[in-house]
Structure formats: structure tokens, C-alpha cells
Amino acid sequence: MNAEAGNDALDNLLTEERTFPPPPELVAQANVTEDTYAQAAADDEAFWAEQAKRLSWAKEPTEVVDWSNAPFAKWYADGELNAAYNCVDRHVEAGNGDRVAFHFEGEPGDQRDITYAQLKDEVSQAANALIELGVQAGDRVAIYLPMIPEAVVAMLACARIGAPHTVVFGGFSADALAARINDCGCEVVITADGGYRRGKPAALKPAVDKALESTPGVRSVIVIRRTGEETPMTEGRDVWWDDIVGRQSTEHTPQAFPAEHPLYVMYTSGSTGKPKGILHTTGGYLVGTAYTHWATFDLKPESDVFWTAADIGWVTGHSYLVYGPLANGATSVMYEGTPDTPHQGRWWEIIDKYGVTILYCAPTAIRTFMKWGHEIPEKYDLSSLRVLGSVGEPINPEAYVWYRHYIGGDRTPVADTWWQTETGMHMISPMPGVADGKPGAAMRAVPGISVEVVNDEGQPVGNGKGGYLVVTKPWPAMLRTLWNEDERYVETYWSRFPGMYFAGDGAKRDDDGDIWLLGRVDDVMNVSGHRMSTTEIESALVSHPKVAEAAVVGATDETTGQAIVAFVILRGEAGDGGPEIVQELRNHVAQEIGAIAKPRSIMVVAELPKTRSGKIMRRLLRDVAENREMGDVTTLQDSSVMDQIKGGMSASS
Ligand code: WTA
């Protein structure tokens, strides 16, 4: 465990004693009450059997969870359903076809309202197009798109025909895209000419063309026209979305699939270099996301306007922009661009314009808004907001209080939701009509979920103490395995504490037993709410011909939570660095992984601190990167190394 970082966080949190009770109007009509917790605790299987009724099943499940082959779970295994039918058709059949599914707001200011009826037509057309291209149930489709409605349509079209999708964040590089396509064995790619970012068109298709030089399995590429920029098309492989989707019938009869049919694979960084393909399946995932979207945000689908301000390329976009909200028949906002284009009030303008009632975003965004100043949101009418959510990293009490005060007008509960790509759904969060919010606390497990904070031996630490966060029982939206890597699945999540899911996060229970998250305990960084692996970035650096060795650490950063700081040893012939090499290496990382993985700083050093067994002591490098007094150096093979590094640091800063 990263003891120093954990203790700093603890000290701050221990002084935090404010609480905010929920408003009485919300309590009076709350979806979740204290009774819900009691019911779920009395019989969690019965609770999850009940939640399955939120969906329309072609064949109702009689089983709930099958844990006989743990840690490989099955949920609702004898049930059958179609995910797209649940997200779209059934709302139309229930007479809600005119309800807006998405208020889409493009960055340049274009807008489009898409009703459930329109969504049904478009998803059916796209499903028919995929079928025309020969895509069958079980085939994988890669989606590499900006935040445009077609991204949702593409995901649902895949789900409709039982073809698992793997959405790759548009900010990832060609190399990262190729690696994911190959690992997942995708045959078709859905992309766009580009999207709008910071007021300018940003091309996507060239990255696809480059990626496809090394992905022999891909036969077709569907290209959506978004920016209208000149885009090269490869004859026989590439087709325009407008051509192939536009001419299809709007009729498509969805087929039911077994509950455990794969829905999607989402790649995420682990503590080794190779990204992990998290596999989610259909029934349990939809039950889990539909339930938590309704419970955590106190959703009233008829009247709420919900906005997850996250990209579809991350799990938050999957669970709370697509599957959860659509399964619930909710109305959502979808915004393409950055928060400061064309001005720093863009988000608040959008909330004002659409009457957004629930906003869900990451602390890093909140901290950025704090920096820009509260005068900006104050210019807009935000009185429609009634619940706020936070996701992706620990929310510091200052950001929580600012968010609640300046955005929520001191009315809104703040749901600090802890979960992961792997968990698929919220696992720990205050329920807005129940808990007195504590700034910085994720509070307690969602009804029906069992978590614990344990010590090194796997024993509960009890109140007032910190340790490792684990999940002690299977849950509906849990990952089923890592794509093609069953052993790694068992090893990564289920071997540290046998019988328990090890999340990789440190946590603490306060004197009331409420849970506070303390950050990762492994080599995973959290930069602006995005998971980044130190090893993956180290591998990228070492793949540069001038680099002999590299060590990467996450240093505390006021805005992004953590920032990537790299230490590199150059090869003899590369000289001693200089500003050019640093720039060259930053660009190299962007090319290997994506611009989001560019180190904030790179320091050229002569040696790295290593233990006698040769393990890099990242803890000490973190001390340097954060300008802290250095921790214990006695286990270093050569303790003078740190003096050299520190000397170099002050010389270069
Ligand atoms: C961190 C994002 C503290 C945590 C949904 C976790 C959080 C990782 C919170 C998963 C939170 C997420 N408080 N930390 N409310 N939410 N995290 O897979 O370290 O991108 O393990 O999923 O983000 O990141 P992922």
C-alpha cells in the first residue's frame, strides 16, 4: 500500500466533519429508503430477483446467481433477452415513443433531439447494415467515435444482433486502437471522419487507416460523416454510414439472447503493460446499471433530464449514458465537446437550456471549474438541478462543497459514486434521499452489494481504520472474465484475498462505519479520472530507441488528481537529453498510447532507485515528484542515487 499518500489523504479527511442532510421534498418521494437497505440485506438474492423485473425478458429467468464455479459468475442464466429491445423498443411499445432519449448538443452549436421512436428506427437500420456486412451474433465490432448520437446507435445496433462491441476512446492513438482490435478479434470498425474538439474539427479516420495496417482481421469500416472534411476511403473496405445505413429498412425484429451472452468488452489499464479486456454480459449488466441509475440518482424518468458528462469511450459512458438511462426510458443530454468551447460557461448554458435535473461528472472537471471561478456558473439558471453525482476519483471535500454550493445551490445531494470498469455499476454511493452527505465520503454499499475494508490478512478493519477495499459477494454487473485471459482474471482480482474481489483501492471506515476512498494501492494512476498504468507508459517510453530504462509515477496534481511524471535513463549514444529529447519522448508516448498518456514532466536521470532485488522504488520517485521529504532509503541498492536525482531535479527546475 502506498502508505505516505494514504496517510496524507487520511489526515485531510479526518478533519472533515460537515454533513448535509437531504432536502425533505426529496426524502418524501425518494426511490430508495432505509427500508430498501434492510430488505436487500435480509435476502440479497431475492432483492436482485426483484430488480430483474425492471427488464423485459423474452424468457423470464428462474435463477438469480450461480456462483458454483467461482469466481466465474452467472446471473439470471436461464433468462433470455435483447439489450437493445430493452433500451429502445419497449419504451416505444409502452407509448413513450415521443419521449426524447437524447438532447444532443454538438460542440459547434448544432443540436438534435432524438426520440425513442427515432432511436428505434436508427438502431434497426444500423443493425440491418451490420447484417448486410455479414456480422453475426458473437462477432466483435470496434467502435471509435466522437461523442455523437451515432455512437449510441452503433452500440445498440451491435447489442441488438448479439455482436459484442468494443468502444475505443477517440483520444487513443492508432497503435492503441490496433492493439485493442487485434486482442478482441474485431472484424468491423465503426468510425467517423472526425469530431469537433476545442472549436476545430479533429480527424479520426487517419488513425483508423494507420491502425488497420496491422489488423489483418478487419474486413469492413463504416464511416460516419460528422465534420465533412476530406477523408480518404479504401475501396472495397470502407463504406459511408449514410450509404449503407441510410438505405436499410427501419424494421428489424430483435432476437433474444441468453442472459450471459457477451454484451461488450472494454479495455482498461491494469498494473501490467497490457490493457485488460473487461467482459460484460447482457442480463446482469442491464439489471445492475438500470437499478443503480434509478436508485443512485433518484431518477424519475418522466420528468428528469439526466446528464452524464463523460465520454462514451469509458465505462461511465457505457453504463450511465447508454445502457442504464436507456433501460430506464430516461431523457439524457449528450454533449460532444470540451467545457470551455466556445466559452467557459458552456456546461452551465447547456443545463440552463435543457433544464437538466441531474448532473454526473468527474471531480477533475469540478476542480477546473473552481479554478475558472464561480462567477461563470452564477450567470446561468441552474435551479433545475436536484441531484449531483461524482465519479472516477476521490472527490476532495473542497470540491464537493463547491459543487454542492455553486452548482447545486445548496439544495442538491451529491452522490459520490465509487465503482470501476470491472464492477460495471455503482457499488458504493450515498443514496440521495437517505444519507446525510459527508463531503469526500462514498458512504456505504449500494443496496444488494456487499463490500468490506480489510487488512493484509483479509480481516475487516472495523470502524476508524483504513485498509483494502474488497467486494465480498458477486453482483449482477460484475465483469465475467478478462477477454481470453481467464487466468489473469482470477490472478488479478480473486487471489489477493481468496473468495473476495480485490478492487485495487485503499479505503477507510470512519467512526460511523461510512466508507472513504483513498486512491489506488497498485501501480495504476488516476489522471483526470482516467486510469493509466505506470507500466504501460514505461513500456511506451522504453520502446523509444533512445531510452534505456524508464520509471513512471503518479504525482499529486491540484487539477487532474494525479499527473504522470516520468524518469528516464537514456542510452549511451543519446547524450544527456535536453529539452528536445523530452518533447520527443512526450510525443512518442502520445503516439504509442494517446495524448492523454503524455507525461506532465520527464526527467532524464543517470540511475533509478532500485531495491537489492532490482525493483524500482516508485515511492521514492513520488516523493521527488511531489517535492516531499524523502521516505526510507535504506532498502536501496545504492542510496546515493536519490541524492543525484534530487540534485538533477533542482538543477532542471
Ligand atoms: C477510482 C470509473 C474514489 C478508483 C467508473 C477505481 C474512485 C477506479 C471513485 C476505476 C470514487 C472511481 N472515489 N475513487 N467515487 N470512482 N474511482 O475503471 O481508483 O475508469 O478503482 O471506472 O477509479 O476507474 P474506471
Side-chain angles (χ1 to χ4, degrees):
M1 177 151 182
N2 168 15
E4 281 112 299
N7 285 342
D8 279 359
L10 263 177
D11 286 347
N12 286 336
L13 295 178
L14 283 172
T15 56
E16 182 53 59
E17 283 178 351
R18 289 168 285 194
T19 58
F20 299 104
E25 321 79 80
L26 200 150
V27 175
Q29 303 185 31
N31 288 354
V32 172
T33 64
E34 201 60 63
D35 280 353
T36 319
Y37 287 95
Q39 271 167 27
D43 186 345
D44 46 16
E45 263 193 65
F47 177 81
W48 288 118
E50 189 62 29
Q51 300 317 322
K53 297 184 184 146
R54 294 175 180 277
L55 303 184
S56 304
W57 299 81
K59 181 163 175 279
E60 296 276 341
T62 63
E63 299 166 21
V64 184
V65 57
D66 176 357
W67 195 228
S68 58
N69 185 30
F72 299 94
K74 289 187 180 148
W75 279 83
Y76 312 115
D78 62 344
E80 291 180 10
L81 76 170
N82 184 288
Y85 174 82
N86 272 278
C87 289
V88 186
D89 306 43
R90 65 172 177 147
H91 305 310
V92 180
E93 289 170 14
N96 292 322
D98 291 339
R99 185 181 294 169
V100 171
F102 288 102
H103 296 292
F104 170 69
E105 174 97 5
E107 201 192 70
D110 55 320
Q111 44 186 293
R112 217 182 122 193
D113 282 353
I114 301 141
T115 64
Y116 275 93
Q118 289 166 333
L119 193 59
K120 176 172 179 282
D121 287 353
E122 290 191 28
V123 170
S124 301
Q125 285 185 304
N128 286 328
L130 289 174
I131 291 169
E132 187 185 310
L133 289 175
V135 180
Q136 296 181 356
D139 293 349
R140 275 84 61 202
V141 175
I143 297 177
Y144 185 65
L145 284 174
M147 283 284 286
I148 53 176
E150 287 82 357
V152 181
V153 172
M155 288 165 73
L156 292 174
C158 290
R160 196 173 183 95
I161 63 169
H165 53 73
T166 186
V167 180
V168 179
F169 174 57
F172 276 121
S173 68
D175 289 359
L177 174 63
R180 284 157 176 76
I181 288 174
N182 285 333
D183 191 78
C184 205
C186 300
E187 295 176 23
V188 172
V189 179
I190 303 178
T191 188
D193 50 3
Y196 291 95
R197 203 90 198 137
R198 299 192 193 285
K200 289 195 298 265
L204 269 184
K205 178 70 170 26
V208 175
D209 289 336
K210 176 148 182 277
L212 264 51
E213 288 167 13
S214 54
T215 59
V218 174
R219 3 179 211 95
S220 309
V221 180
I222 305 179
V223 188
I224 295 156
R225 224 185 289 267
R226 168 67 183 143
T227 60
E229 296 217 302
E230 174 98 16
T231 299
M233 298 287 276
T234 301
E235 184 78 38
R237 186 194 73 184
D238 301 352
V239 283
W240 289 105
W241 170 279
D242 291 342
D243 294 341
I244 189 157
V245 175
R247 67 174 140 82
Q248 303 293 332
S249 159
T250 54
E251 295 297 319
H252 174 268
T253 309
Q255 175 197 341
F257 294 98
E260 284 298 337
H261 188 79
L263 181 62
Y264 70 83
V265 177
M266 163 119 267
Y267 285 86
T268 186
S269 295
S271 49
T272 64
K274 184 169 176 273
K276 303 181 285 198
I278 309 291
L279 174 68
H280 283 294
T281 60
T282 311
Y285 177 78
L286 268 191
V287 171
T289 52
Y291 175 68
T292 47
H293 178 249
W294 174 86
T296 306
F297 300 116
D298 191 48
L299 179 84
K300 313 285 193 245
E302 308 75 33
S303 52
D304 275 319
V305 179
F306 178 79
W307 183 15
T308 286
D311 195 280
I312 219 153
W314 308 110
V315 75
T316 305
H318 280 51
S319 296
Y320 300 105
L321 194 114
V322 181
Y323 289 109
L326 293 175
N328 287 330
T331 295
S332 290
V333 164
M334 180 179 196
Y335 172 55
E336 178 185 26
T338 52
D340 53 354
T341 309
H343 58 81
Q344 294 179 333
R346 187 70 189 267
W347 276 28
W348 320 122
E349 187 179 73
I350 291 173
I351 289 174
D352 191 340
K353 174 168 166 190
Y354 296 106
V356 172
T357 58
I358 306 168
L359 173 66
Y360 190 36
C361 67
T364 184
I366 301 164
R367 289 191 298 264
T368 303
F369 298 134
M370 287 171 76
K371 224 164 47 186
W372 292 346
H374 56 81
E375 301 76 18
I376 297 172
E378 275 167 357
K379 287 191 220 139
Y380 300 88
D381 180 3
L382 306 180
S383 62
S384 53
L385 287 169
R386 61 180 202 92
V387 176
L388 300 176
S390 167
V391 57
E393 50 179 320
I395 179 164
N396 40 314
E398 293 67 32
Y400 178 111
V401 171
W402 189 93
Y403 191 30
R404 191 177 180 280
H405 179 71
Y406 288 107
I407 308 306
D410 286 328
R411 299 176 306 278
T412 55
V414 176
D416 174 14
T417 62
W418 179 88
W419 59 297
Q420 307 177 296
T421 308
E422 290 86 342
T423 70
M425 62 190 265
H426 298 158
M427 301 296 278
I428 307 177
S429 174
M431 293 291 135
V434 181
D436 281 7
K438 298 179 184 174
M443 304 295 286
R444 73 205 258 205
V446 166
I449 297 296
S450 304
V451 303
E452 193 46 272
V453 181
V454 298
N455 62 18
D456 269 316
E457 284 75 49
Q459 302 299 325
V461 291
N463 291 356
K465 301 226 175 61
Y468 304 98
L469 182 68
V470 294
V471 187
T472 54
K473 285 187 174 181
W475 64 100
M478 66 191 279
L479 76 166
R480 296 305 193 258
T481 189
L482 297 179
W483 187 254
N484 282 334
E485 293 188 295
D486 286 348
E487 262 174 47
R488 189 178 177 199
Y489 165 69
V490 177
E491 167 64 28
T492 308
Y493 304 107
W494 300 94
S495 65
R496 176 73 179 79
F497 302 108
M500 298 185 232
Y501 171 85
F502 174 49
D505 281 59
K508 163 194 185 274
R509 276 196 194 275
D510 66 17
D511 291 336
D512 303 324
D514 290 324
I515 295 174
W516 302 66
L517 274 306
L518 302 176
R520 300 289 304 189
V521 295
D522 53 13
D523 292 334
V524 173
M525 296 172 288
N526 192 325
V527 183
S528 297
H530 299 150
R531 264 162 82 168
M532 294 279 141
S533 148
T534 52
T535 339
E536 199 180 344
I537 298 171
E538 285 166 6
S539 310
L541 286 165
V542 174
S543 74
H544 189 283
K546 289 185 188 158
V547 175
E549 224 181 322
V552 167
V553 297
T556 305
D557 183 280
E558 218 173 87
T559 307
T560 59
Q562 282 188 309
I564 304 166
V565 176
F567 297 83
V568 297
I569 302 177
L570 297 179
R571 288 181 188 277
E573 65 272 24
D576 63 352
E580 305 82 44
I581 180 80
V582 168
Q583 200 46 42
E584 193 176 325
L585 293 180
R586 292 183 78 232
N587 292 341
H588 178 71
V589 173
Q591 191 197 326
E592 290 284 305
I593 305 175
I596 44 170
K598 269 190 191 179
R600 182 186 69 185
S601 53
I602 297 181
M603 205 193 145
V604 177
V605 294
E607 282 301 336
L608 288 170
K610 288 190 184 157
T611 61
R612 284 175 195 99
S613 59
K615 204 168 171 315
I616 294 174
M617 291 191 71
R618 290 202 181 76
R619 175 171 63 79
L620 296 177
L621 293 174
R622 219 168 6 236
D623 289 342
V624 173
E626 293 175 354
N627 266 324
R628 230 198 334 259
E629 199 54 36
M630 201 135 33
D632 185 12
V633 293
T634 50
T635 52
L636 276 184
Q637 190 187 18
D638 173 2
S639 56
S640 67
V641 167
M642 288 314 295
D643 295 332
Q644 291 171 26
I645 292 180
K646 285 198 84 170
M649 193 84 173
S650 42
S652 70
S653 56

